[in-house]
Amino acid sequence: MLMPQISISTLQYAISALAAGIKELQELIDSGDTGPEDFQRMEDLERAASELEEQYDEAAKTVLNLTPYNELVGDCPRS
């Protein structure tokens, strides 16, 4: 499948923004204040995140000094 070309910075921003949205929705789900549509939305967001991660992994093969993916999504230890 031919993927549209976007800049690395746009890809990084999209990954970070999507991760923040997933975390926010997960907190809402954890609080129990959700409806059935929220679970579908989470599934859709997680699918999109997976696709972006694949694209980022591909970019990492040719682009030097990329921010590690786990840092973009907030899974890194804070100093």
Side-chain angles (χ1 to χ4, degrees), residues 6 9-27 40-56 69-75:
I6 60 172
S9 62
T10 298
L11 181 58
Q12 289 173 322
Y13 180 76
I15 289 167
S16 294
L18 193 56
I22 288 171
K23 287 176 185 176
E24 183 179 309
L25 183 55
Q26 186 62 56
E27 289 173 5
Q40 180 61 52
R41 183 169 168 241
M42 177 61 85
E43 196 174 296
D44 294 343
L45 291 173
E46 288 175 340
R47 186 177 312 107
S50 178
E51 290 177 17
L52 289 176
E53 183 176 11
E54 287 177 22
Q55 290 299 304
Y56 200 72
Y69 182 83
N70 66 333
E71 288 184 26
L72 293 175
V73 298
D75 289 345

Side-chain angles (χ1 to χ4, degrees), residues 30-44:
D30 290 346
S31 75
D33 190 24
T34 56
E37 69 279 356
D38 293 315
F39 293 96
Q40 180 61 52
R41 183 169 168 241
M42 177 61 85
E43 196 174 296
D44 294 343

